[in-house]
């Protein structure tokens, strides 16, 4: 047995690991936001665009869902300079992760838009909304409700997928662990701590996701199905039954 | 030709004698003019050469069995469907087209949207926006589409809610309301854009029987206030109480177009007699 608790606890409070974890967080958020933008544009192009726009969107989705993210990152950072396109590590990591994520999100967003009742589009037209207004005020806000759960799942994945950016020397959590492992050769301790960091980040995100889902469910939630009058009646009945708490 | 069953050129001439309570109503200039409209879904001809004129403040009830084309006609007027032939003029617009040098050019999406602002539509399934509150449903189009100030629009929205009898529901979500309440909010939402014509597509068909009257009462009030209305409905009671004309559609054509008294007591078309006997046997 060669497990060192001192190294383990040292890695937990290690500044390099903490900075790495912070980089993982912001890299995930930035890539997700950009990926979401790309996904919305690709989904709308595929659903409402002319033949050319549809073809471009389908090609993009096909290409980035059909190839490993690892190859995409390496091509962007190491391969593109051959064509005279030089991006920094950070730019390459964000671009690769966002392009990859956008392709997956496009399909999720498309499904969300399709889940909105056709009558909503009729109603939005009937009060005089043009396409952009129908999308912005009526269709997308309702699609969001369907999209949020799988979107949260995607972000959970993103937090861990960023570890692949370590291959292009992006100094996120995985890369920090690799560097520390090379100094002390405490491989098990340092990667265990890295794994704990990922667990912590994912757990925090899960808590946030629950709140976001609750927010978007509010207009539709089961409580909303009960009319205020019925709720009052129910409270009265429960109070009379001796259970004052509701 | 679908118009040969139409009665006299002045179908309202005898209205003052037969219904004195409504005799004071004066109809203005034509607001909706439908000429030779055709519409097909694939091989299915839903509208064949439909023509009719609705004047300002007139209330026209359209009935007919399902598949007769009545809802499609309403949706064509509001440009929720495009027409295959003919002309629809409504609220001063040539719906869906622009005339340039004698040629007709189909309008783009945002140009159609501009025309639709002047027409209000009420749907069978209400189609309220479920993600926002009642007052936001009413305020959305005036504030976001017309860009009017929120405070001013909110006052109007509250007045509209009071008018449809739901002043206490402004912060409720649509799901918290009964069908009849939702439909009254939907009427308020349409009225918020100050339309020149209101189109009702079977507004009470999805309602529980006990809430039908609360919606019809709002519609009758609206007609008394002089609103121009085209109402697709099976509510013959409403037709008797509020309609200036009752139209029967059959197989995509207008087969009867008469004042209510004449429609119910002396219909000219065989289809109307069949339709009425089926309605009465319910």
């Amino acid at each position: 047995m060669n497990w060192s608790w001192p190294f383990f606890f040292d890695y937990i409070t290690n500044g390099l690991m903490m900075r790495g974890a912070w980089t993982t967080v912001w890299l995930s958020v930035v890539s997700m936001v950009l990926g979401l933008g790309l996904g919305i544009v690709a989904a709308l192009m595929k659903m409402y665009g002319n033949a050319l726009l549809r073809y471009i969107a389908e090609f993009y989705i096909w290409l980035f869902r059909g190839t490993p993210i690892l190859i995409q990152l390496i091509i962007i950072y190491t391969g593109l300079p051959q064509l005279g396109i030089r991006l920094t590590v950070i730019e390459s990591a964000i671009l690769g992760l966002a392009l990859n994520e956008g392709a997956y999100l496009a399909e999720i967003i498309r499904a969300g838009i399709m889940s909105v009742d056709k009558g909503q589009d009729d109603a939005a037209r009937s009060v005089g909304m043009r396409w952009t207004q129908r999308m912005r005020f009526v269709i997308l806000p309702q699609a969001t409700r369907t999209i949020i759960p799988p979107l949260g799942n995607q972000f959970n994945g993103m937090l861990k997928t960023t570890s692949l950016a370590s291959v292009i020397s992006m100094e996120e959590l995985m890369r920090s662990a690799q560097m520390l492992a090379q100094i002390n050769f405490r491989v098990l301790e340092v990667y265990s701590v890295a794994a704990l960091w990922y667990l912590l980040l994912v757990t925090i995100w899960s808590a946030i996701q629950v709140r976001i889902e609750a927010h978007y469910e509010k207009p539709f939630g089961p409580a909303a199905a009960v009319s205020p009058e019925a709720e009052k009646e129910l409270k009265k009945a429960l109070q009379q039954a001796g259970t004052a708490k509701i | 030709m679908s118009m040969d069953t139409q009665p006299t050129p002045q179908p309202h001439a005898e209205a003052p004698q037969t219904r004195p309570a409504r005799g004071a109503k004066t109809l203005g200039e034509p607001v909706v003019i439908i000429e030779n409209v055709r519409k097909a879904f694939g091989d299915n001809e839903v509208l064949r050469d439909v023509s009719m004129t609705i004047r300002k403040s007139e209330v026209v009830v359209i009935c007919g069995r399902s598949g007769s084309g009545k809802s499609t006609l309403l949706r064509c007027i509001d440009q929720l469907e495009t027409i295959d032939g003919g002309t629809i003029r409504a609220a001063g617009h040539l719906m869906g087209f622009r005339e340039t040098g004698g040629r007709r050019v189909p309008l783009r999406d945002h140009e159609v949207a501009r025309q639709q602002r002047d027409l209000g539509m009420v749907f069978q399934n209400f189609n309220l926006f479920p993600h926002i509150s009642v007052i936001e449903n009413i305020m959305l189009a005036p504030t976001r589409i017309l860009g009017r100030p929120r405070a001013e629009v909110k006052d109007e929205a509250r007045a509209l809610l009071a008018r449809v009898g739901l002043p206490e529901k402004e912060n409720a979500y649509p799901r918290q309301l009964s069908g009849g309440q939702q439909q009254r909010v939907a009427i308020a939402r349409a009225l918020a854009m100050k339309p020149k014509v209101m189109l009702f597509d079977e507004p009470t068909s999805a309602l529980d029987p006990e809430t039908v009257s609360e919606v019809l009462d709002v519609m009758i009030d609206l007609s008394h206030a002089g609103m121009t209305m085209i109402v697709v409905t099976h509510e013959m009671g409403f037709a008797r109480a509020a309609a200036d004309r009752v139209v029967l559609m059959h197989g995509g054509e207008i087969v009867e177009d008469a004042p209510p008294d004449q429609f119910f007591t002396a219909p000219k078309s065989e289809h109307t007699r069949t339709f009425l006997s089926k309605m009465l046997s319910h």
Side-chain angles (χ1 to χ4, degrees):
Chain A
M1 170 98 171
N2 183 20
W3 168 270
S4 163
W5 286 109
F7 269 111
F8 177 78
F9 288 114
D10 185 52
Y11 288 140
I12 285 180
T13 54
N14 185 288
L16 190 65
M17 291 292 274
M18 285 183 180
R19 278 197 298 280
W22 167 240
T23 302
T24 292
V25 170
W26 71 250
L27 179 62
S28 298
V29 171
V30 171
S31 303
M32 194 72 188
V33 169
L34 291 176
L36 195 56
L38 278 169
I40 292 172
V41 171
L44 293 178
M45 279 167 69
K46 192 171 169 179
M47 292 181 80
Y48 301 98
N50 58 27
L52 178 68
L53 291 177
R54 228 169 30 235
Y55 179 77
I56 292 170
E58 275 168 17
F59 178 77
Y60 160 65
I61 294 167
W62 171 77
L63 184 68
F64 280 88
R65 292 210 312 172
T67 53
I69 173 79
L70 201 51
I71 292 182
Q72 292 164 16
L73 285 167
I74 291 170
I75 286 179
I76 289 169
Y77 181 64
T78 327
L80 287 186
Q82 272 177 254
L83 304 176
I85 303 167
R86 280 168 213 286
L87 299 174
T88 66
V89 170
I90 293 175
E91 287 163 355
S92 302
I94 291 173
L95 184 67
L97 290 166
L99 281 170
N100 186 263
E101 193 62 29
Y104 282 93
L105 292 181
E107 293 296 281
I108 292 173
I109 290 159
R110 196 168 69 93
I113 291 171
M114 287 195 300
S115 75
V116 178
D117 185 67
K118 171 75 177 64
Q120 291 294 309
D121 193 59
D122 283 345
R125 280 173 197 267
S126 78
V127 289
M129 291 191 203
R130 54 195 291 183
W131 182 81
T132 46
Q133 293 164 333
R134 299 199 294 276
M135 281 297 138
R136 184 173 157 207
F137 300 125
V138 176
I139 308 297
L140 287 178
Q142 290 183 61
T144 304
R145 178 184 167 227
T146 319
I147 291 168
I148 289 285
L151 196 68
N153 202 36
Q154 286 296 116
F155 188 70
N156 179 314
M158 172 67 91
L159 283 166
K160 292 165 290 180
T161 304
T162 51
S163 63
L164 294 176
S166 62
V167 299
I168 58 167
S169 70
M170 178 77 194
E171 292 187 6
E172 40 65 71
L173 188 49
M174 179 69 184
R175 177 83 175 159
S176 300
Q178 281 172 346
M179 290 193 291
L180 288 173
Q182 279 161 14
I183 296 168
N184 298 311
F185 301 104
R186 286 288 166 184
V187 176
L188 185 58
E189 290 85 344
V190 74
Y191 283 112
S192 297
V193 170
L196 284 177
W197 270 110
Y198 281 112
L199 274 173
L200 177 69
L201 296 181
V202 166
T203 306
I204 293 171
W205 168 246
S206 298
I208 295 171
Q209 192 187 340
V210 168
R211 281 164 184 264
I212 296 174
E213 278 179 32
H215 173 78
Y216 281 98
E217 276 300 317
K218 196 179 148 218
F220 304 91
V226 182
S227 73
E229 291 87 353
E231 199 178 316
K232 235 178 268 170
E233 288 295 309
L234 188 68
K235 271 186 188 166
K236 212 161 67 183
L238 283 170
Q239 271 166 0
Q240 282 166 354
T243 40
K245 230 167 104 183
I246 185 164
Chain B
M1 183 64 189
S2 63
M3 300 298 287
D4 51 9
T5 51
Q6 266 211 333
T8 57
Q10 301 92 18
H12 313 290
E14 53 182 19
Q17 288 93 49
T18 50
R19 282 172 300 150
R22 296 167 42 70
K25 189 169 176 180
T26 48
L27 302 176
E29 73 279 9
V31 178
V32 179
I33 305 168
I34 300 163
E35 287 173 317
N36 311 111
V37 165
R38 286 183 293 108
K39 170 73 183 173
F41 294 110
D43 290 339
N44 180 21
E45 275 193 284
V46 184
L47 298 176
R48 314 162 187 249
D49 197 21
V50 172
S51 300
M52 70 190 289
T53 299
I54 295 98
R55 309 175 77 88
K56 191 171 189 315
S57 295
E58 195 169 23
V59 178
V60 175
V61 163
I62 303 178
C63 49
R65 59 187 212 202
S66 64
S68 61
K70 53 197 193 312
S71 285
T72 303
L73 178 62
L74 218 55
R75 292 174 61 83
C76 285
I77 296 171
D78 201 25
Q79 288 296 296
L80 299 177
E81 307 283 354
T82 53
I83 54 176
D84 297 336
T87 308
I88 297 174
R89 289 177 200 277
H93 304 294
L94 174 62
M95 297 304 289
F97 295 95
R98 173 179 55 222
E99 269 170 329
T100 33
R103 280 191 40 230
R104 262 190 204 182
V105 186
L107 292 179
R108 296 160 62 103
D109 176 78
H110 68 275
E111 296 166 318
V112 173
R114 196 164 275 277
Q115 295 183 330
Q116 286 167 323
R117 292 175 193 174
D118 292 331
L119 282 69
M121 182 101 169
V122 174
F123 300 90
Q124 181 176 353
N125 295 318
F126 331 129
N127 294 341
L128 289 179
F129 305 131
H131 60 298
I132 50 178
S133 66
V134 161
I135 192 107
E136 293 295 335
N137 263 273
I138 300 170
M139 293 172 63
L140 182 61
T143 53
R144 297 297 206 163
I145 313 308
L146 301 180
R148 296 180 49 207
R150 273 187 72 85
E152 181 187 312
V153 173
K154 193 159 198 167
D155 289 343
E156 285 180 15
R158 285 185 170 141
L160 284 169
L161 272 179
R163 190 171 167 188
V164 300
L166 295 168
E168 76 287 359
K169 295 291 186 192
E170 69 172 66
N171 293 318
Y173 285 106
R175 270 280 286 273
Q176 295 170 299
L177 304 182
S178 70
Q181 290 172 332
Q182 288 193 50
Q183 194 61 297
R184 286 187 279 158
V185 174
I187 293 171
R189 176 179 67 180
L191 290 175
M193 290 298 276
K194 304 189 168 108
K196 298 190 174 79
V197 191
M198 283 287 283
L199 311 170
F200 294 83
D201 186 6
E202 305 206 29
T204 59
S205 298
L207 298 179
D208 293 330
E210 65 268 26
T211 61
V212 166
S213 64
E214 68 192 45
V215 172
L216 292 180
D217 287 347
V218 169
M219 290 166 63
I220 289 169
D221 280 352
L222 209 52
S223 74
H224 290 329
M227 176 59 76
T228 310
M229 294 162 64
I230 307 177
V231 185
V232 169
T233 186
H234 293 292
E235 293 294 333
M236 292 300 114
F238 173 80
R240 281 181 208 275
D244 296 291
R245 278 156 61 202
V246 186
V247 169
L248 184 84
M249 288 191 68
H250 183 87
E253 295 181 347
I254 292 175
V255 294
E256 186 92 35
D257 184 344
D261 300 325
Q262 194 182 322
F263 184 92
F264 290 111
T265 57
K268 292 192 170 142
S269 165
E270 183 57 40
H271 294 301
T272 313
R273 284 190 281 274
T274 313
F275 176 79
L276 287 173
S277 69
K278 280 189 179 145
M279 291 302 289
L280 290 172
S281 67
H282 277 346

